[in-house]
Amino acid sequence: MGSLDEVWIQRVEQIILKNLVNSQFKNNSLADAVHCSERQLYRQLNELTGYTPHQFIREIRLHLARVYLENHRYRTVKEVSYAVGFKDTVHFSRLFIQRFGVYPASFL
């Protein structure tokens, strides 16, 4: 990956982090924020990271949730799920277990 690509990925990550609590922040919102079409966003992100935009947003949310849980930043799984943009705690827990192999509550 070239330095321009790395800068672009970092910009995309910053935009996602800035909109983290917004559960409505999806592919089209990200494409608008980086000033490209959804298709171009899909192609470029998939080429550079191996993730679709949806997967990339979810990966950042789950990673940050794990950091929050490990650092005991919130007291409940529900608080963490809302803090990283998931409206449904059960869905969040399922994705977390699928990604990390442990229950989010095991960190509390």
Side-chain angles (χ1 to χ4, degrees):
M1 191 170 3
S3 64
L4 286 177
D5 293 336
E6 289 174 13
V7 169
W8 187 81
I9 290 292
Q10 288 173 354
R11 183 171 162 236
V12 169
E13 288 178 2
Q14 289 304 315
I15 290 167
I16 293 169
L17 290 170
K18 192 176 186 182
N19 292 283
L20 197 63
V21 294
N22 179 1
S23 63
Q24 298 303 311
F25 188 77
K26 308 247 189 253
N27 302 350
N28 59 341
S29 308
L30 182 56
D32 288 345
V34 294
H35 309 291
C36 67
S37 69
E38 284 184 63
R39 184 70 191 139
Q40 183 61 30
L41 174 67
Y42 179 92
R43 269 184 283 204
Q44 192 162 357
L45 201 54
N46 198 7
E47 180 182 315
L48 296 174
T49 66
Y51 292 117
T52 67
H54 177 75
Q55 291 169 329
F56 193 69
I57 292 169
R58 183 176 59 206
E59 185 66 21
I60 289 174
R61 285 183 166 152
L62 289 173
H63 175 73
L64 193 58
R66 184 174 179 143
V67 170
Y68 287 167
L69 288 164
E70 287 174 341
N71 294 325
H72 305 288
R73 183 160 178 188
Y74 294 94
R75 294 182 349 185
T76 66
V77 172
K78 186 174 188 174
E79 288 175 348
V80 172
S81 69
Y82 288 166
V84 296
F86 287 95
K87 291 187 287 186
D88 182 0
T89 305
V90 173
H91 179 65
F92 164 74
S93 293
R94 257 189 240 126
L95 291 173
F96 192 91
I97 294 165
Q98 190 177 47
R99 173 62 179 89
F100 299 111
V102 294
Y103 289 92
S106 68
F107 291 93
L108 300 176

